[in-house]
Amino acid sequence: MYAKSPIVGSPSQLYDLLLEASTKMPIADNYDGSYLTFKSVNGLVFAIDLLVAGFSTVWLDQAYWQRAIASRPETSVKAYLFGGIAWYGIPFSFATIMGLGCAALTSSPQFPTYPSPLTAAQNGAGLSSPATAIALLGKGGAGLMLLLLFMAVTSSTSAELIAVSSLLTFDVYKTYIRPKATSNELVRISHLGIVIYALGLATFCAILNAVNVNLTWLLTVLGVIVGGASIPNGLILLWPRMSTLAAILAPWMGLSFGMIAWFVTTSKRSGVISVTTTGDAINAVAGNIASWAGGALVAVVVTYIAPHKFTSDDPVFVARVNKINGVSGTPPNEKETALSAGGDVETALDHSSSTEKPPISSPADSNTLYGDQPSSSEPAKVVPTGNHVVDFLEAKHIEPMDPVLVKRGTRLAVWFNVAFLCIAIVLVPFTLFGSDYLFSRSFFTGWCVVSFMWCWVSMTICVIWPVWESRKALYMITKGLLGDMTGKGHTT
């Protein structure tokens, strides 16, 4: 796009093409109809829709939770921060190249729909990026876009399949249906969960396609559906006073507020409720805000009205709370001895249970639900899950978090998020929005250069850095493989 393309070839040429597009295809709600401005009313409204949807899905997506739980608490904060930096290259760099590129290349004979621009339906279906790739690279561009989409979809779908399967297996089947299920039985249920969710997901997508619901519609209204649960879910972790009734009631009340505001606004503004009118960004923003704010408001109000938190004297529940808070355990050296001497996890667990500290009688007695229990240097008591692999890993590796590292990670996360909020969400966009600024040639060139550099930063974080961090392990693996292939490998 910026260097060797015979159609564009430089940011300056792209700037000229966008000036031409602003004259031939002006955007009604943009300042001066230009593509080179931040002052876009529809753009601002759509940004609010995406903010609610993105914030909510990150808080509620089980795949994110599983990655966080599987990571070391002391290092997961940095991992998520760098992951966010890498991801930002998608809306920043990719949108600059493919989104603006689509508008700029519409007048090119190489554009797939030349001389006509893409229709609203084609844009809503997300075809602007493939059209740009085809105009720049021909059939090869289409193939690269297909490969990119295939990798993105398979990666995200794989994570969701595993996440939903885990929920069905451990949070539904083992918790409510068969608490004493064996390891082999849980594996079968896990596989069945993957099949069920895959079929359900495929069927749901086919239904959406049949009723002409496209990706843009889904992103626009997603916050209406899930926004009510995002802040209550966060308050469960971050606000010790969050009550049980508030946690249950707030998401559903937020959803109700959002749906009512969405449909009433659509009916009053558009006169009819249909796929097209409900997908209007302004109609949807009313539902997004109502759902998001409604869930948060109900969570706070209900907590003060009904502050009761669930407690139980059930030994299983008490053991689970002890395990989460790390208040009951056995000295590490004794557990290691049991593991090495017994040779299996059952022996280790029996040895651990014979030397454990007396557990608390109920969560309320020690305030462990509120994090008031002093951290211990001993590993948490292992509560068998029925899965021998999981039990062994927990017995071998569970340790309390280092309070110093936890405090440092919390401080880093808070300051980074505050800085990102102030700069990337408030200062830059609203300064450009409020000043009626049209990008100059030099400003636009700088914008393109920074976005291009961000692509390389993302690539470095996702591709080069993991290889560098794993260089010792990769060296040992390669050495072992070569040794096996040449017959010089060592057996242990």
Side-chain angles (χ1 to χ4, degrees), residues 87 102 169 441 451:
W87 171 86
C102 181
T169 302
R441 188 180 301 273
S451 70

Side-chain angles (χ1 to χ4, degrees), residues 63-425:
Y64 287 97
W65 288 104
Q66 288 193 172
R67 291 189 182 100
I69 293 170
S71 305
R72 290 182 59 85
E74 298 85 353
T75 58
S76 58
V77 171
K78 291 183 179 179
Y80 270 87
L81 292 181
F82 279 110
I85 292 172
W87 171 86
Y88 196 68
I90 299 174
F92 181 28
S93 307
F94 199 77
T96 298
I97 297 172
M98 297 307 219
L100 292 179
C102 181
L105 296 174
T106 300
S107 59
S108 171
Q110 285 80 13
F111 197 74
T113 61
Y114 177 83
S116 302
L118 294 178
T119 64
Q122 289 170 331
N123 275 317
L127 297 180
S128 56
S129 295
T132 304
I134 292 172
L136 290 172
L137 302 172
K139 293 183 179 180
L144 289 174
M145 278 299 304
L146 183 62
L147 177 62
L148 185 151
L149 290 174
F150 175 80
M151 295 173 66
V153 170
T154 53
S155 174
S156 58
T157 303
S158 172
E160 296 302 327
L161 287 172
I162 296 172
V164 174
S165 173
S166 175
L167 287 174
L168 293 176
T169 302
F170 293 99
D171 294 342
V172 177
Y173 185 80
K174 183 171 175 60
T175 301
Y176 299 106
I177 300 176
R178 284 183 60 86
K180 297 183 179 180
T182 64
S183 176
N184 291 333
E185 188 175 356
L186 292 176
V187 170
R188 289 196 298 270
I189 295 299
S190 176
H191 293 169
L192 180 62
I194 291 176
V195 174
I196 292 174
Y197 181 67
L199 293 175
L201 182 62
T203 302
F204 183 66
C205 291
I207 293 173
L208 293 180
N209 184 67
V211 297
N212 295 321
V213 170
N214 57 40
L215 184 60
T216 301
W217 187 95
L218 190 62
L219 288 174
T220 303
V221 308
L222 184 59
V224 180
I225 302 170
V226 302
S230 58
I231 294 181
N233 195 37
L235 292 177
I236 293 173
L237 294 178
L238 303 176
W239 191 33
R241 298 187 63 169
M242 183 73 170
S243 70
T244 300
L245 182 61
I248 296 172
L249 191 62
W252 297 105
M253 293 299 295
L255 174 62
S256 301
F257 295 155
M259 296 291 285
I260 292 172
W262 181 30
F263 286 129
V264 170
T265 303
T266 301
S267 177
K268 294 297 184 181
R269 287 190 70 252
S270 303
V272 63
I273 295 178
S274 64
V275 172
T276 302
T277 57
T278 54
D280 179 81
I282 297 178
N283 294 339
V285 79
N288 275 288
I289 295 175
S291 179
W292 203 21
L297 182 63
V298 170
V300 174
V301 172
V302 173
T303 293
Y304 282 105
I305 295 175
H308 174 72
K309 296 174 70 72
F310 174 78
T311 58
S312 173
D313 293 329
D314 181 10
V316 175
F317 177 80
V318 174
R320 183 182 297 117
V321 174
N322 288 339
K323 173 182 174 182
I324 293 172
N325 291 278
V327 299
S328 178
T330 184
N333 57 339
E334 295 183 16
K335 188 174 294 183
E336 294 293 337
T337 302
L339 282 169
S340 59
D344 57 19
V345 70
E346 288 84 356
T347 305
L349 295 175
D350 292 340
H351 183 82
S352 173
S353 62
S354 67
T355 59
E356 66 183 26
K357 294 181 179 180
I360 58 177
S361 58
S362 70
D365 294 340
S366 66
N367 296 322
T368 55
L369 283 177
Y370 310 113
D372 296 335
Q373 179 71 21
S375 60
S376 169
S377 60
E378 300 174 355
K381 176 183 180 297
V382 176
V383 178
T385 65
N387 186 310
H388 298 300
V389 174
V390 173
D391 290 341
F392 175 78
L393 291 176
E394 290 186 343
K396 192 77 173 177
H397 294 291
I398 281 186
E399 296 178 359
M401 293 183 293
D402 185 329
V404 176
L405 295 178
V406 170
K407 186 175 181 179
R408 186 183 304 166
T410 302
R411 190 185 304 116
L412 175 63
V414 169
W415 281 109
F416 184 91
N417 280 279
V418 169
F420 183 83
L421 174 67
C422 294
I423 297 173
I425 298 181

